[in-house]
């Protein structure tokens, strides 16, 4: 049994010396599926890239080499848009064409880019796959427009709810054969309570479906999966925030309203763009209802301070790692899934923001800082390396354990021979920490460190290994720089 591990910052705040305790026996996340990303919409626009560029971006996202993120959870977006839809109305990659036509014909050629990336992700080591939908197929919609309903209203035809459930299961089955993967979960909605899915707005697919409609669709999907003998988990409802997700879940499970059980709602997916103060309540509600797990299934944040496109600045990285630390502490999900990992470079330059972990010339050449980037050429941002501090080291099967510091994440390997600690520090001053040698005595074989921070004196700090001071007498000591993310891997005697 491991003793409590103590981290002692040597800086003395107003209230005295802070003591941060890690409790290896107090598990907060017992089932960890992994870190991941969606394939929306970046993988769609890779269809016209050179094959080598497509393979390389997938390797960097899903591979296990030291320069890769090692993401293992993949969310595939089954599109609903007509092949005849005007591409001008969609952002790069946002025109995701329907694969399964009304007559039952399957057309994988309409989504070559996304299917190719799905296969590449599997080859690189991805192991958990979910199929999700932003909008049902265009012919099932009241106005036929996958951007959203008229005036932001609900758009799925009531008489098509059962057909939609059948279509979902059939698309998943056909796609599994085409791509050589197995979908362990299906998600029929994306931010379904949102008012912003409108036919008069361009950009992406979306469809409003309020809880009453959701309940009917979920019930039909459960029947369809049972009829097929499928063990696929139904996930819902991918609401924009935890507060909306909690309200939707309460409606869906209320015996006098939705009356759905945990067989029908196998997992709750939720985004974390806002409503963080409700994450604890959502998690507790799922536990009370017997729902197996929660995923943080979508989020991305732009850079702090409206700094513009600053890929080599920690202001584009710290919002992402702050979100990871906060979500793991409050929501305690079994997976944490980034949204669009590869953002169009032209958007970042034109609109002066930093989104995505990687920025690539999507479908047209793009100039930046005196260089012309051709489609398939990309820039890796600090956000990529900051996320690597988590995803490369906190692997599937790890058990997350309690810490007394909100911004410190700790987890034990399944064999309990490795303790990984990740510290997000967005303060302006350095922070000196020391691990209590009494807690580590006779148990530590070695300690290694990696850090991402702003580059210094010509040295690139991109998940860079560094020497950690550790002795049996003094324990582990380190001074954490401002605006940084640090990972410590403590190898323990079994």
């Amino acid at each position: 049994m491991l003793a409590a591990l103590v981290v002692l910052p040597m800086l003395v705040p107003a209230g005295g010396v802070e003591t941060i305790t890690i409790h290896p026996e107090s598990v907060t996340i017992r089932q960890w599926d992994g870190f991941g990303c969606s394939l929306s919409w970046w993988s769609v626009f890779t269809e016209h890239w050179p094959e080598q560029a497509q393979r390389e971006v997938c390797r960097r996202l899903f591979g296990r080499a030291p320069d890769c993120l090692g993401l293992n959870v993949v969310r595939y977006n089954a599109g609903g848009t007509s092949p005849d839809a005007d591409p001008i109305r969609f952002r790069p990659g946002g025109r995701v064409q329907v694969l399964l036509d009304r007559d039952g014909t399957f057309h994988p050629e309409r989504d070559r880019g996304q299917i190719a990336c799905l296969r590449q992700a599997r080859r690189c080591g991805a192991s958990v796959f979910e199929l999700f939908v932003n909008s049902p197929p265009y012919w099932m919609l009241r106005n036929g427009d996958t951007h959203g309903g008229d005036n932001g209203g609900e758009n799925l035809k009531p008489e098509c709810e059962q057909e939609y459930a059948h279509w979902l299961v059939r698309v998943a089955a056909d796609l599994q054969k085409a791509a050589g993967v197995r979908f362990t979960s299906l998600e029929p909605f994306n931010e379904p309570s949102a008012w912003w899915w409108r036919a008069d707005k361009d950009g992406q697919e979306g469809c409003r479906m309020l809880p009453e409609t959701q309940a009917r669709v979920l019930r039909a999907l459960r029947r369809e999966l049972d009829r097929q003998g499928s063990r696929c988990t139904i996930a819902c409802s991918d609401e924009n925030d935890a507060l909306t997700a909690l309200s939707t879940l309460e409606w869906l499970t209320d015996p006098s309203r939705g009356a759905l059980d945990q067989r029908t709602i196998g997992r709750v997916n939720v985004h974390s763009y806002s409503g963080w103060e409700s994450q604890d309540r959502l998690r507790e509600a799922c536990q009370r209802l017997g729902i197996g797990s929660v995923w943080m299934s979508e989020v991305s944040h732009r850079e702090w301070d409206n700094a513009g496109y600053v890929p080599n600045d920690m202001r584009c990285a710290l919002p992402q790692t702050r979100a990871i630390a906060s979500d793991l502490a409050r929501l305690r999900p079994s997976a944490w899934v980034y949204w669009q990992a590869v953002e169009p470079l032209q958007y970042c330059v034109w609109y002066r923001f930093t989104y995505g972990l990687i920025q690539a010339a999507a479908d047209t050449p793009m100039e930046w800082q005196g260089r012309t980037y051709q489609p398939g050429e990309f820039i890796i941002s600090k956000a990529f390396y900051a996320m690597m501090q988590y995803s490369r080291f906190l692997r599937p099967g790890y058990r997350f354990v309690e810490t007394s510091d909100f911004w410190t994440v700790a987890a034990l390997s399944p064999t309990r021979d490795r303790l990984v600690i990740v510290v997000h520090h967005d303060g302006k001053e350095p922070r000196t920490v020391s691990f209590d040698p009494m807690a580590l005595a006779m148990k530590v074989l070695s300690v290694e460190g990696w850090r991402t921070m702003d580059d210094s004196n010509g040295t690139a700090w991109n998940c860079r290994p560094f020497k950690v001071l550790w002795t049996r007498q003094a324990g582990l000591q380190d001074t954490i720089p401002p605006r940084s993310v640090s990972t410590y891997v403590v190898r323990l005697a079994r």
Side-chain angles (χ1 to χ4, degrees), residues 92 110 118 122 186 243 307 330 353 362 379 383 410 434 438 476:
R110 293 177 182 167
L118 188 62
R122 179 184 56 80
L186 293 178
L243 181 59
R330 287 177 162 174
F353 55 52
I379 297 163
S434 175
M438 294 300 293
L476 189 157

Side-chain angles (χ1 to χ4, degrees), residues 3 97 147 188 200 222 358 372 376 400 410 422 428 444 481 487:
Q97 298 179 51
H147 289 90
D200 57 353
R222 179 71 271 163
I358 294 171
T372 300
F400 289 71
V422 188
K428 297 181 180 179
V444 174
T487 302

Side-chain angles (χ1 to χ4, degrees), residues 59-78:
R59 186 191 73 83
R60 295 301 293 264
L61 291 172
F62 305 109
R64 292 298 309 277
D67 62 344
C68 302
L69 288 183
L71 303 179
N72 72 289
V73 179
V74 182
R75 300 188 76 221
Y76 174 91
N77 175 206

Side-chain angles (χ1 to χ4, degrees), residues 66-107:
D67 62 344
C68 302
L69 288 183
L71 303 179
N72 72 289
V73 179
V74 182
R75 300 188 76 221
Y76 174 91
N77 175 206
T81 296
S82 168
D84 298 327
D86 186 353
I88 295 177
R89 294 198 61 202
F90 294 87
R91 58 168 292 148
R95 181 171 168 261
V96 189
Q97 298 179 51
V98 66
L99 291 178
L100 185 66
D101 279 347
R102 185 184 303 191
D103 63 4
T105 307
F106 185 62
H107 292 277

Side-chain angles (χ1 to χ4, degrees), residues 365-415:
M366 187 65 207
E367 291 188 9
W368 183 65
Q369 291 193 343
R371 177 184 167 183
T372 300
Y373 289 81
Q374 299 297 329
E377 294 185 314
F378 55 82
I379 297 163
I380 297 180
S381 72
K382 284 287 184 184
F384 177 96
Y385 295 106
M387 186 165 182
M388 184 187 290
Q389 300 279 157
Y390 294 85
S391 61
R392 181 177 156 194
F393 302 99
L394 298 166
R395 302 304 301 165
Y398 272 56
R399 287 189 173 189
F400 289 71
V401 298
E402 182 182 353
T403 76
S404 61
D405 178 38
F406 191 81
W407 304 112
T408 298
V409 173
L412 278 166
S413 66
T415 53

Side-chain angles (χ1 to χ4, degrees), residues 148-168:
D150 296 336
N151 299 314
E154 293 194 84
N155 207 20
L156 177 64
K157 297 175 183 176
E159 65 270 23
C160 289
E161 290 166 356
Q162 180 63 48
E163 181 186 357
Y164 179 43
H166 176 77
W167 180 88
L168 273 167

Side-chain angles (χ1 to χ4, degrees), residues 202-476:
D202 293 344
Q204 69 168 91
E205 296 178 330
C207 183
R208 192 178 198 195
M209 286 185 265
L210 295 176
E212 186 173 355
T213 301
Q214 292 180 44
R216 292 194 300 268
V217 169
L218 291 168
R219 201 172 289 114
L221 183 56
R222 179 71 271 163
R223 288 194 300 267
E224 190 66 28
L225 289 170
D226 288 345
R227 190 176 70 83
Q228 298 288 342
S230 173
R231 300 176 63 183
C232 195
T233 295
I234 299 175
C236 71
S237 291
D238 266 270
E239 297 285 14
N240 176 266
D241 60 88
L243 181 59
T244 305
L246 180 61
S247 175
T248 296
L249 181 64
E250 289 174 342
W251 201 102
L252 293 175
T253 57
D254 187 321
S256 65
R257 294 188 287 183
L260 302 182
D261 59 17
Q262 64 268 32
R263 281 198 72 248
T264 306
I265 303 177
R267 187 180 67 235
V268 167
N269 282 6
V270 62
H271 305 173
S272 64
Y273 290 103
S274 62
W276 308 286
E277 68 284 350
S278 298
Q279 288 182 327
D280 301 90
R281 292 170 55 208
L282 177 61
R283 166 173 50 84
E284 291 164 359
C286 290
Q287 292 171 345
R288 185 175 63 253
L289 293 164
I291 294 171
S293 64
V294 180
W295 274 13
M296 198 304 293
S297 53
E298 179 188 321
V299 79
S300 63
H301 297 287
R302 67 171 294 172
E303 83 294 344
W304 279 342
D305 304 328
N306 293 317
Y309 181 47
V310 286
N312 203 38
D313 190 300
M314 286 298 289
R315 284 176 292 181
C316 77
L318 293 170
Q320 322 305 330
T321 57
R322 186 179 180 90
I324 293 173
S326 177
D327 293 341
L328 292 177
R330 287 177 162 174
L331 187 63
R332 300 182 186 179
S334 58
W336 197 95
V337 186
Y338 195 81
W339 180 227
Q340 173 155 265
V342 184
E343 189 73 16
L345 177 60
Q346 55 262 50
Y347 275 26
C348 294
V349 175
W350 293 342
Y351 303 124
R352 291 188 50 79
F353 55 52
T354 312
Y355 274 114
L357 307 175
I358 294 171
Q359 296 82 41
D363 52 10
T364 186
M366 187 65 207
E367 291 188 9
W368 183 65
Q369 291 193 343
R371 177 184 167 183
T372 300
Y373 289 81
Q374 299 297 329
E377 294 185 314
F378 55 82
I379 297 163
I380 297 180
S381 72
K382 284 287 184 184
F384 177 96
Y385 295 106
M387 186 165 182
M388 184 187 290
Q389 300 279 157
Y390 294 85
S391 61
R392 181 177 156 194
F393 302 99
L394 298 166
R395 302 304 301 165
Y398 272 56
R399 287 189 173 189
F400 289 71
V401 298
E402 182 182 353
T403 76
S404 61
D405 178 38
F406 191 81
W407 304 112
T408 298
V409 173
L412 278 166
S413 66
T415 53
R416 298 175 65 87
D417 61 352
R418 180 178 297 191
L419 175 67
V420 176
I421 305 166
V422 188
V423 182
H424 162 93
H425 178 45
D426 57 36
K428 297 181 180 179
E429 300 296 331
R431 182 184 185 190
T432 302
V433 298
S434 175
F435 291 81
D436 180 2
M438 294 300 293
L440 299 175
M442 306 303 294
K443 296 183 183 296
V444 174
L445 300 178
S446 65
V447 181
E448 299 172 289
W450 286 264
R451 177 166 291 144
T452 297
M453 64 179 186
D454 289 308
D455 298 342
S456 175
N457 299 322
T459 299
W461 282 90
N462 296 326
C463 200
R464 182 183 179 88
F466 68 96
K467 186 176 181 180
V468 180
L469 177 61
W470 178 78
T471 65
R472 294 191 183 278
Q473 294 74 30
L476 189 157

